[in-house]
Amino acid sequence: MDLASILEIDDKKLLDKELRKAFSSYSLPIAVDGEELTCLIILINSTIPRNKIKDIIDKQQAQELWKDDGHLDKCLTEVGWYHTHNLKYPDARVSHQVYRGDSPTVYQNVLSSANLPYGLGWANNSAMVNYAKLFSAEFLWRGDVLTLGTLLTAKQPLWLDKLVLLGVNKNKLDSMIAYLDNELSQKQTPHEISDYSKQLRFMWWSSKTVHLYRCLN
């Protein structure tokens, strides 16, 4: 399924549901080739609560948001909370900590994040989750899994042109690129370990049940 195919759905409610699902963090990335402008419309409209927008592909609404520097700044602020490893799992009480690092070394017979594609997640104040979607939602373009954040840091001409068509002025576009490039190029490690992170978890098989035991350090 690609974006062009989803857009053929006639039922507006089903279309809205499928488009939101397609760009959610729990779905596999979909191809957006040929629908780059629509992709940008969906991404920016996804940054506002669902009950405040009737149509996620409303171009006029998207243009207003892309021209709203204050709204864009809120989205950019959440980039600082993008991570490679979620320190708020399994205890959400961990706060104000981000780990953003390189993929670890692959070792034979060891399963870790090194065996997975490199990607960025987000964890912070849940009230800001919509803002975090703009630059982190993954999709396929020309065969690669990308985000708007990676496309902007790469200064991909086609996507920059589409943003200008949606009303982003050049100065704002340049500042967004500079901010993203600076933020996403930085590795981050907490200066201290949260009290809620001091634990090791061991898996133990008992019959057909899997138990996870916590041991405090």
Side-chain angles (χ1 to χ4, degrees):
M1 181 71 74
D2 56 23
L3 180 53
S5 298
I6 297 176
L7 291 170
E8 293 178 359
I9 297 174
D10 292 326
D11 186 307
K12 289 188 176 181
K13 287 187 177 180
L14 179 59
L15 174 61
D16 185 83
K17 177 182 177 181
E18 291 301 316
L19 288 174
R20 291 180 182 278
K21 179 181 177 181
F23 287 90
S24 65
S25 58
Y26 57 80
S27 295
L28 292 175
I30 63 165
V32 301
D33 301 73
E35 295 291 349
E36 292 85 0
L37 186 70
T38 305
C39 178
L40 289 170
I41 291 172
I42 294 169
L43 289 176
I44 193 68
N45 284 341
S46 296
T47 62
I48 58 178
R50 185 176 303 193
N51 62 359
K52 292 186 178 180
I53 181 169
K54 294 181 179 180
D55 185 0
I56 199 172
I57 52 175
D58 184 333
K59 184 177 180 180
Q60 183 177 350
Q61 173 71 76
Q63 289 175 318
E64 291 177 4
L65 291 171
W66 278 117
K67 294 176 183 177
D68 186 342
D69 287 355
H71 186 80
L72 294 177
D73 287 344
K74 289 180 181 179
C75 296
L76 287 167
T77 297
E78 293 310 306
V79 174
W81 295 101
Y82 288 2
H83 59 242
T84 53
H85 299 73
N86 186 3
L87 300 183
K88 291 178 74 68
Y89 179 84
D91 197 324
R93 290 176 295 179
V94 175
S95 62
H96 301 98
Q97 293 195 342
V98 175
Y99 181 83
R100 190 188 307 140
D102 295 319
S103 293
T105 303
V106 176
Y107 292 100
Q108 187 176 4
N109 301 322
V110 175
L111 181 62
S112 73
S113 58
N115 303 98
L116 299 171
Y118 181 86
L120 295 174
W122 173 90
N124 186 27
N125 181 349
S126 60
M128 310 301 288
V129 65
N130 287 329
Y131 298 116
K133 296 176 183 178
L134 182 58
F135 300 109
S136 65
E138 293 184 337
F139 47 84
L140 283 167
W141 189 65
R142 295 182 178 176
D144 293 322
V145 177
L146 299 166
T147 66
L148 182 56
T150 55
L151 285 165
L152 289 184
T153 56
K155 298 182 179 179
Q156 212 297 321
L158 186 150
W159 289 83
L160 298 184
D161 289 344
K162 299 296 184 184
L163 284 170
V164 172
L165 284 175
L166 287 169
V168 182
N169 67 65
K170 189 178 185 305
N171 288 337
K172 186 59 180 180
L173 191 54
D174 289 342
S175 68
M176 285 198 301
I177 292 171
Y179 184 92
L180 289 165
D181 188 48
N182 177 66
E183 188 64 46
L184 295 179
S185 65
Q186 294 184 37
K187 307 304 177 187
Q188 289 199 39
T189 303
H191 297 297
E192 60 183 21
I193 298 174
S194 168
D195 290 339
Y196 301 114
S197 294
K198 294 182 178 181
Q199 55 185 295
L200 299 173
R201 289 161 63 86
F202 297 94
M203 183 177 291
W204 181 261
W205 293 85
S206 175
S207 183
K208 294 183 179 179
T209 304
V210 178
H211 301 278
L212 291 175
Y213 295 95
R214 297 186 181 184
C215 296
L216 297 181
N217 294 27

